[in-house]
Amino acid sequence: FFLSDNGGPTRELTSSNFPLRGEKGQMYEGGLRVPFMARWKGVIPAGKVYHKPVVSYDLFATIAANAPGVTAPKQVEGVNLIPFISGQDKGRPHKTLFWRQGGKTALRHDDWKLVRMGKRLTAGKAQWELYDLSKDLAETNDLAQTHPERLAELVQLWKETNATMLKPLF
């Protein structure tokens, strides 16, 4: 497996996350989407490109499910990616993904994404943004005003998910 930890730091190193908006430390796709590669001869087809969202904690679940003689703990975050990557499972590994850091947060549900880029002390005052990633991967068209029902649905889902989390440590 090869996995980067976050998007490129565009200001410090003149990285480019084009065509994605954002950078390291942000909740836009440029800060969240990263290179993720796997090689397993005979299991993962060579040259396969998988387009559905996965997350770093899927690595543990995938390794635990496929390592000979290993019994995974009963509760494991993430999913075994092999059935998805190999084409056995045509679904998506995750319907919803959630991120939170300081006053910044995001939630992706199917192809819709909710973003709030607040600062730690004023996080609750920052405005929610809404994007349809299937049509706007660069997150240039905030749909929060034109799709209030979808915004409300995702904010509620964010609140429900956030309520299951421990208080942030940083």
PDB file of all heavy atoms in Angstrom, residues 20-49:
ATOM      1  N   LEU A  20      -8.484  20.333  -7.995  1.00  0.00           N
ATOM      2  CA  LEU A  20      -9.204  20.365  -6.723  1.00  0.00           C
ATOM      3  C   LEU A  20      -8.967  21.668  -5.975  1.00  0.00           C
ATOM      4  O   LEU A  20      -7.892  22.252  -6.038  1.00  0.00           O
ATOM      5  CB  LEU A  20      -8.764  19.194  -5.849  1.00  0.00           C
ATOM      6  CG  LEU A  20      -8.886  17.806  -6.469  1.00  0.00           C
ATOM      7  CD1 LEU A  20      -8.323  16.762  -5.530  1.00  0.00           C
ATOM      8  CD2 LEU A  20     -10.313  17.509  -6.852  1.00  0.00           C
ATOM      9  N   ARG A  21      -9.970  22.100  -5.247  1.00  0.00           N
ATOM     10  CA  ARG A  21      -9.882  23.274  -4.402  1.00  0.00           C
ATOM     11  C   ARG A  21      -9.273  22.863  -3.075  1.00  0.00           C
ATOM     12  O   ARG A  21      -9.518  21.789  -2.552  1.00  0.00           O
ATOM     13  CB  ARG A  21     -11.289  23.815  -4.173  1.00  0.00           C
ATOM     14  CG  ARG A  21     -11.347  25.005  -3.227  1.00  0.00           C
ATOM     15  CD  ARG A  21     -12.779  25.452  -3.060  1.00  0.00           C
ATOM     16  NE  ARG A  21     -12.861  26.606  -2.173  1.00  0.00           N
ATOM     17  CZ  ARG A  21     -14.005  27.146  -1.804  1.00  0.00           C
ATOM     18  NH1 ARG A  21     -15.157  26.660  -2.253  1.00  0.00           N
ATOM     19  NH2 ARG A  21     -14.016  28.183  -1.001  1.00  0.00           N
ATOM     20  N   GLY A  22      -8.492  23.752  -2.504  1.00  0.00           N
ATOM     21  CA  GLY A  22      -7.986  23.528  -1.160  1.00  0.00           C
ATOM     22  C   GLY A  22      -6.614  22.897  -1.115  1.00  0.00           C
ATOM     23  O   GLY A  22      -6.005  22.586  -2.133  1.00  0.00           O
ATOM     24  N   GLU A  23      -6.156  22.721   0.097  1.00  0.00           N
ATOM     25  CA  GLU A  23      -4.812  22.242   0.345  1.00  0.00           C
ATOM     26  C   GLU A  23      -4.757  21.545   1.701  1.00  0.00           C
ATOM     27  O   GLU A  23      -5.771  21.455   2.401  1.00  0.00           O
ATOM     28  CB  GLU A  23      -3.836  23.414   0.330  1.00  0.00           C
ATOM     29  CG  GLU A  23      -4.141  24.431   1.411  1.00  0.00           C
ATOM     30  CD  GLU A  23      -3.269  25.668   1.295  1.00  0.00           C
ATOM     31  OE1 GLU A  23      -3.306  26.331   0.254  1.00  0.00           O
ATOM     32  OE2 GLU A  23      -2.543  25.942   2.267  1.00  0.00           O
ATOM     33  N   LYS A  24      -3.563  21.114   2.051  1.00  0.00           N
ATOM     34  CA  LYS A  24      -3.323  20.469   3.341  1.00  0.00           C
ATOM     35  C   LYS A  24      -3.977  21.286   4.462  1.00  0.00           C
ATOM     36  O   LYS A  24      -3.865  22.494   4.502  1.00  0.00           O
ATOM     37  CB  LYS A  24      -1.818  20.382   3.576  1.00  0.00           C
ATOM     38  CG  LYS A  24      -1.418  19.788   4.888  1.00  0.00           C
ATOM     39  CD  LYS A  24       0.087  19.719   4.981  1.00  0.00           C
ATOM     40  CE  LYS A  24       0.474  19.103   6.311  1.00  0.00           C
ATOM     41  NZ  LYS A  24       1.883  18.764   6.333  1.00  0.00           N
ATOM     42  N   GLY A  25      -4.690  20.603   5.356  1.00  0.00           N
ATOM     43  CA  GLY A  25      -5.315  21.252   6.489  1.00  0.00           C
ATOM     44  C   GLY A  25      -6.698  21.808   6.212  1.00  0.00           C
ATOM     45  O   GLY A  25      -7.309  22.389   7.095  1.00  0.00           O
ATOM     46  N   GLN A  26      -7.194  21.652   4.989  1.00  0.00           N
ATOM     47  CA  GLN A  26      -8.531  22.135   4.656  1.00  0.00           C
ATOM     48  C   GLN A  26      -9.462  20.958   4.395  1.00  0.00           C
ATOM     49  O   GLN A  26      -9.021  19.842   4.152  1.00  0.00           O
ATOM     50  CB  GLN A  26      -8.493  23.050   3.436  1.00  0.00           C
ATOM     51  CG  GLN A  26      -7.748  24.338   3.703  1.00  0.00           C
ATOM     52  CD  GLN A  26      -7.818  25.293   2.528  1.00  0.00           C
ATOM     53  OE1 GLN A  26      -8.158  24.930   1.409  1.00  0.00           O
ATOM     54  NE2 GLN A  26      -7.476  26.535   2.786  1.00  0.00           N
ATOM     55  N   MET A  27     -10.738  21.233   4.420  1.00  0.00           N
ATOM     56  CA  MET A  27     -11.745  20.192   4.222  1.00  0.00           C
ATOM     57  C   MET A  27     -12.243  20.107   2.784  1.00  0.00           C
ATOM     58  O   MET A  27     -13.111  19.305   2.482  1.00  0.00           O
ATOM     59  CB  MET A  27     -12.941  20.426   5.155  1.00  0.00           C
ATOM     60  CG  MET A  27     -12.591  20.313   6.615  1.00  0.00           C
ATOM     61  SD  MET A  27     -12.102  18.631   7.032  1.00  0.00           S
ATOM     62  CE  MET A  27     -11.106  18.917   8.476  1.00  0.00           C
ATOM     63  N   TYR A  28     -11.672  20.927   1.912  1.00  0.00           N
ATOM     64  CA  TYR A  28     -12.013  20.808   0.497  1.00  0.00           C
ATOM     65  C   TYR A  28     -11.272  19.607  -0.073  1.00  0.00           C
ATOM     66  O   TYR A  28     -10.341  19.071   0.544  1.00  0.00           O
ATOM     67  CB  TYR A  28     -11.656  22.090  -0.247  1.00  0.00           C
ATOM     68  CG  TYR A  28     -12.399  23.297   0.261  1.00  0.00           C
ATOM     69  CD1 TYR A  28     -11.738  24.322   0.927  1.00  0.00           C
ATOM     70  CD2 TYR A  28     -13.782  23.397   0.110  1.00  0.00           C
ATOM     71  CE1 TYR A  28     -12.422  25.427   1.410  1.00  0.00           C
ATOM     72  CE2 TYR A  28     -14.480  24.498   0.602  1.00  0.00           C
ATOM     73  CZ  TYR A  28     -13.798  25.496   1.250  1.00  0.00           C
ATOM     74  OH  TYR A  28     -14.481  26.583   1.737  1.00  0.00           O
ATOM     75  N   GLU A  29     -11.667  19.180  -1.260  1.00  0.00           N
ATOM     76  CA  GLU A  29     -11.103  17.963  -1.847  1.00  0.00           C
ATOM     77  C   GLU A  29      -9.579  18.020  -1.986  1.00  0.00           C
ATOM     78  O   GLU A  29      -8.908  16.999  -1.873  1.00  0.00           O
ATOM     79  CB  GLU A  29     -11.753  17.681  -3.206  1.00  0.00           C
ATOM     80  CG  GLU A  29     -13.215  17.280  -3.100  1.00  0.00           C
ATOM     81  CD  GLU A  29     -13.429  15.990  -2.341  1.00  0.00           C
ATOM     82  OE1 GLU A  29     -13.114  14.908  -2.885  1.00  0.00           O
ATOM     83  OE2 GLU A  29     -13.923  16.050  -1.198  1.00  0.00           O
ATOM     84  N   GLY A  30      -9.010  19.199  -2.204  1.00  0.00           N
ATOM     85  CA  GLY A  30      -7.555  19.330  -2.310  1.00  0.00           C
ATOM     86  C   GLY A  30      -6.825  19.010  -1.019  1.00  0.00           C
ATOM     87  O   GLY A  30      -5.629  18.725  -1.027  1.00  0.00           O
ATOM     88  N   GLY A  31      -7.525  19.042   0.091  1.00  0.00           N
ATOM     89  CA  GLY A  31      -6.931  18.679   1.373  1.00  0.00           C
ATOM     90  C   GLY A  31      -7.261  17.267   1.813  1.00  0.00           C
ATOM     91  O   GLY A  31      -6.587  16.697   2.661  1.00  0.00           O
ATOM     92  N   LEU A  32      -8.305  16.686   1.208  1.00  0.00           N
ATOM     93  CA  LEU A  32      -8.747  15.355   1.628  1.00  0.00           C
ATOM     94  C   LEU A  32      -8.383  14.248   0.644  1.00  0.00           C
ATOM     95  O   LEU A  32      -8.075  13.132   1.054  1.00  0.00           O
ATOM     96  CB  LEU A  32     -10.264  15.347   1.847  1.00  0.00           C
ATOM     97  CG  LEU A  32     -10.783  16.275   2.937  1.00  0.00           C
ATOM     98  CD1 LEU A  32     -12.300  16.231   2.983  1.00  0.00           C
ATOM     99  CD2 LEU A  32     -10.200  15.911   4.295  1.00  0.00           C
ATOM    100  N   ARG A  33      -8.452  14.538  -0.636  1.00  0.00           N
ATOM    101  CA  ARG A  33      -8.127  13.505  -1.635  1.00  0.00           C
ATOM    102  C   ARG A  33      -6.623  13.364  -1.738  1.00  0.00           C
ATOM    103  O   ARG A  33      -5.917  14.346  -1.885  1.00  0.00           O
ATOM    104  CB  ARG A  33      -8.663  13.888  -3.013  1.00  0.00           C
ATOM    105  CG  ARG A  33     -10.118  13.628  -3.155  1.00  0.00           C
ATOM    106  CD  ARG A  33     -10.544  13.935  -4.578  1.00  0.00           C
ATOM    107  NE  ARG A  33     -11.962  13.763  -4.675  1.00  0.00           N
ATOM    108  CZ  ARG A  33     -12.563  12.977  -5.534  1.00  0.00           C
ATOM    109  NH1 ARG A  33     -11.847  12.308  -6.422  1.00  0.00           N
ATOM    110  NH2 ARG A  33     -13.861  12.854  -5.532  1.00  0.00           N
ATOM    111  N   VAL A  34      -6.160  12.139  -1.664  1.00  0.00           N
ATOM    112  CA  VAL A  34      -4.720  11.891  -1.695  1.00  0.00           C
ATOM    113  C   VAL A  34      -4.423  10.661  -2.533  1.00  0.00           C
ATOM    114  O   VAL A  34      -5.296   9.816  -2.765  1.00  0.00           O
ATOM    115  CB  VAL A  34      -4.166  11.670  -0.263  1.00  0.00           C
ATOM    116  CG1 VAL A  34      -4.321  12.926   0.576  1.00  0.00           C
ATOM    117  CG2 VAL A  34      -4.830  10.494   0.412  1.00  0.00           C
ATOM    118  N   PRO A  35      -3.179  10.531  -2.975  1.00  0.00           N
ATOM    119  CA  PRO A  35      -2.800   9.305  -3.676  1.00  0.00           C
ATOM    120  C   PRO A  35      -2.943   8.103  -2.757  1.00  0.00           C
ATOM    121  O   PRO A  35      -2.569   8.144  -1.585  1.00  0.00           O
ATOM    122  CB  PRO A  35      -1.325   9.532  -4.025  1.00  0.00           C
ATOM    123  CG  PRO A  35      -1.127  11.002  -3.959  1.00  0.00           C
ATOM    124  CD  PRO A  35      -2.092  11.504  -2.927  1.00  0.00           C
ATOM    125  N   PHE A  36      -3.506   7.029  -3.291  1.00  0.00           N
ATOM    126  CA  PHE A  36      -3.711   5.804  -2.535  1.00  0.00           C
ATOM    127  C   PHE A  36      -3.554   4.674  -3.542  1.00  0.00           C
ATOM    128  O   PHE A  36      -4.349   4.548  -4.454  1.00  0.00           O
ATOM    129  CB  PHE A  36      -5.113   5.817  -1.936  1.00  0.00           C
ATOM    130  CG  PHE A  36      -5.438   4.691  -0.970  1.00  0.00           C
ATOM    131  CD1 PHE A  36      -6.637   4.709  -0.285  1.00  0.00           C
ATOM    132  CD2 PHE A  36      -4.578   3.627  -0.743  1.00  0.00           C
ATOM    133  CE1 PHE A  36      -6.977   3.704   0.604  1.00  0.00           C
ATOM    134  CE2 PHE A  36      -4.903   2.617   0.143  1.00  0.00           C
ATOM    135  CZ  PHE A  36      -6.108   2.657   0.824  1.00  0.00           C
ATOM    136  N   MET A  37      -2.501   3.901  -3.388  1.00  0.00           N
ATOM    137  CA  MET A  37      -2.225   2.821  -4.336  1.00  0.00           C
ATOM    138  C   MET A  37      -2.014   1.512  -3.598  1.00  0.00           C
ATOM    139  O   MET A  37      -1.525   1.503  -2.466  1.00  0.00           O
ATOM    140  CB  MET A  37      -0.982   3.150  -5.158  1.00  0.00           C
ATOM    141  CG  MET A  37      -1.170   4.363  -6.049  1.00  0.00           C
ATOM    142  SD  MET A  37       0.337   4.803  -6.892  1.00  0.00           S
ATOM    143  CE  MET A  37       1.032   5.948  -5.730  1.00  0.00           C
ATOM    144  N   ALA A  38      -2.386   0.424  -4.256  1.00  0.00           N
ATOM    145  CA  ALA A  38      -2.197  -0.904  -3.687  1.00  0.00           C
ATOM    146  C   ALA A  38      -1.751  -1.851  -4.785  1.00  0.00           C
ATOM    147  O   ALA A  38      -2.172  -1.717  -5.942  1.00  0.00           O
ATOM    148  CB  ALA A  38      -3.483  -1.403  -3.051  1.00  0.00           C
ATOM    149  N   ARG A  39      -0.925  -2.796  -4.419  1.00  0.00           N
ATOM    150  CA  ARG A  39      -0.493  -3.822  -5.359  1.00  0.00           C
ATOM    151  C   ARG A  39      -0.536  -5.166  -4.648  1.00  0.00           C
ATOM    152  O   ARG A  39       0.030  -5.322  -3.567  1.00  0.00           O
ATOM    153  CB  ARG A  39       0.929  -3.540  -5.823  1.00  0.00           C
ATOM    154  CG  ARG A  39       1.444  -4.575  -6.781  1.00  0.00           C
ATOM    155  CD  ARG A  39       2.833  -4.230  -7.224  1.00  0.00           C
ATOM    156  NE  ARG A  39       3.323  -5.249  -8.127  1.00  0.00           N
ATOM    157  CZ  ARG A  39       4.581  -5.525  -8.306  1.00  0.00           C
ATOM    158  NH1 ARG A  39       5.505  -4.839  -7.651  1.00  0.00           N
ATOM    159  NH2 ARG A  39       4.947  -6.463  -9.126  1.00  0.00           N
ATOM    160  N   TRP A  40      -1.226  -6.113  -5.280  1.00  0.00           N
ATOM    161  CA  TRP A  40      -1.273  -7.477  -4.756  1.00  0.00           C
ATOM    162  C   TRP A  40      -1.488  -8.368  -5.953  1.00  0.00           C
ATOM    163  O   TRP A  40      -2.608  -8.535  -6.434  1.00  0.00           O
ATOM    164  CB  TRP A  40      -2.388  -7.609  -3.740  1.00  0.00           C
ATOM    165  CG  TRP A  40      -2.412  -8.924  -3.006  1.00  0.00           C
ATOM    166  CD1 TRP A  40      -1.566  -9.970  -3.138  1.00  0.00           C
ATOM    167  CD2 TRP A  40      -3.360  -9.300  -2.013  1.00  0.00           C
ATOM    168  NE1 TRP A  40      -1.913 -10.985  -2.299  1.00  0.00           N
ATOM    169  CE2 TRP A  40      -3.018 -10.596  -1.590  1.00  0.00           C
ATOM    170  CE3 TRP A  40      -4.456  -8.685  -1.442  1.00  0.00           C
ATOM    171  CZ2 TRP A  40      -3.747 -11.273  -0.625  1.00  0.00           C
ATOM    172  CZ3 TRP A  40      -5.178  -9.364  -0.478  1.00  0.00           C
ATOM    173  CH2 TRP A  40      -4.818 -10.643  -0.076  1.00  0.00           C
ATOM    174  N   LYS A  41      -0.404  -8.914  -6.449  1.00  0.00           N
ATOM    175  CA  LYS A  41      -0.451  -9.748  -7.655  1.00  0.00           C
ATOM    176  C   LYS A  41      -1.431 -10.895  -7.481  1.00  0.00           C
ATOM    177  O   LYS A  41      -1.461 -11.540  -6.440  1.00  0.00           O
ATOM    178  CB  LYS A  41       0.936 -10.308  -7.989  1.00  0.00           C
ATOM    179  CG  LYS A  41       1.884  -9.274  -8.522  1.00  0.00           C
ATOM    180  CD  LYS A  41       3.216  -9.907  -8.906  1.00  0.00           C
ATOM    181  CE  LYS A  41       4.126  -8.866  -9.494  1.00  0.00           C
ATOM    182  NZ  LYS A  41       5.398  -9.442  -9.932  1.00  0.00           N
ATOM    183  N   GLY A  42      -2.258 -11.078  -8.493  1.00  0.00           N
ATOM    184  CA  GLY A  42      -3.225 -12.159  -8.481  1.00  0.00           C
ATOM    185  C   GLY A  42      -4.528 -11.828  -7.764  1.00  0.00           C
ATOM    186  O   GLY A  42      -5.478 -12.596  -7.827  1.00  0.00           O
ATOM    187  N   VAL A  43      -4.566 -10.714  -7.067  1.00  0.00           N
ATOM    188  CA  VAL A  43      -5.771 -10.335  -6.331  1.00  0.00           C
ATOM    189  C   VAL A  43      -6.328  -9.005  -6.847  1.00  0.00           C
ATOM    190  O   VAL A  43      -7.493  -8.892  -7.168  1.00  0.00           O
ATOM    191  CB  VAL A  43      -5.503 -10.252  -4.808  1.00  0.00           C
ATOM    192  CG1 VAL A  43      -6.735  -9.786  -4.058  1.00  0.00           C
ATOM    193  CG2 VAL A  43      -5.039 -11.607  -4.279  1.00  0.00           C
ATOM    194  N   ILE A  44      -5.457  -8.001  -6.929  1.00  0.00           N
ATOM    195  CA  ILE A  44      -5.861  -6.698  -7.455  1.00  0.00           C
ATOM    196  C   ILE A  44      -5.409  -6.634  -8.910  1.00  0.00           C
ATOM    197  O   ILE A  44      -4.218  -6.780  -9.190  1.00  0.00           O
ATOM    198  CB  ILE A  44      -5.231  -5.550  -6.646  1.00  0.00           C
ATOM    199  CG1 ILE A  44      -5.659  -5.627  -5.175  1.00  0.00           C
ATOM    200  CG2 ILE A  44      -5.616  -4.199  -7.254  1.00  0.00           C
ATOM    201  CD1 ILE A  44      -4.942  -4.642  -4.270  1.00  0.00           C
ATOM    202  N   PRO A  45      -6.328  -6.424  -9.839  1.00  0.00           N
ATOM    203  CA  PRO A  45      -5.954  -6.372 -11.252  1.00  0.00           C
ATOM    204  C   PRO A  45      -4.945  -5.250 -11.521  1.00  0.00           C
ATOM    205  O   PRO A  45      -5.125  -4.119 -11.052  1.00  0.00           O
ATOM    206  CB  PRO A  45      -7.271  -6.096 -11.980  1.00  0.00           C
ATOM    207  CG  PRO A  45      -8.341  -6.478 -11.012  1.00  0.00           C
ATOM    208  CD  PRO A  45      -7.771  -6.258  -9.645  1.00  0.00           C
ATOM    209  N   ALA A  46      -3.892  -5.548 -12.261  1.00  0.00           N
ATOM    210  CA  ALA A  46      -2.882  -4.548 -12.613  1.00  0.00           C
ATOM    211  C   ALA A  46      -3.532  -3.417 -13.398  1.00  0.00           C
ATOM    212  O   ALA A  46      -4.362  -3.646 -14.271  1.00  0.00           O
ATOM    213  CB  ALA A  46      -1.778  -5.194 -13.437  1.00  0.00           C
ATOM    214  N   GLY A  47      -3.165  -2.202 -13.060  1.00  0.00           N
ATOM    215  CA  GLY A  47      -3.674  -1.042 -13.774  1.00  0.00           C
ATOM    216  C   GLY A  47      -5.089  -0.621 -13.393  1.00  0.00           C
ATOM    217  O   GLY A  47      -5.620   0.331 -13.945  1.00  0.00           O
ATOM    218  N   LYS A  48      -5.697  -1.305 -12.451  1.00  0.00           N
ATOM    219  CA  LYS A  48      -7.072  -0.998 -12.033  1.00  0.00           C
ATOM    220  C   LYS A  48      -7.121   0.387 -11.383  1.00  0.00           C
ATOM    221  O   LYS A  48      -6.290   0.717 -10.545  1.00  0.00           O
ATOM    222  CB  LYS A  48      -7.552  -2.057 -11.035  1.00  0.00           C
ATOM    223  CG  LYS A  48      -8.848  -1.769 -10.349  1.00  0.00           C
ATOM    224  CD  LYS A  48     -10.005  -2.110 -11.205  1.00  0.00           C
ATOM    225  CE  LYS A  48     -11.304  -1.974 -10.436  1.00  0.00           C
ATOM    226  NZ  LYS A  48     -12.437  -2.275 -11.233  1.00  0.00           N
ATOM    227  N   VAL A  49      -8.083   1.192 -11.789  1.00  0.00           N
ATOM    228  CA  VAL A  49      -8.329   2.483 -11.156  1.00  0.00           C
ATOM    229  C   VAL A  49      -9.709   2.399 -10.517  1.00  0.00           C
ATOM    230  O   VAL A  49     -10.684   2.085 -11.187  1.00  0.00           O
ATOM    231  CB  VAL A  49      -8.276   3.646 -12.178  1.00  0.00           C
ATOM    232  CG1 VAL A  49      -8.607   4.966 -11.504  1.00  0.00           C
ATOM    233  CG2 VAL A  49      -6.902   3.709 -12.838  1.00  0.00           C
TER     234      VAL A  49
END
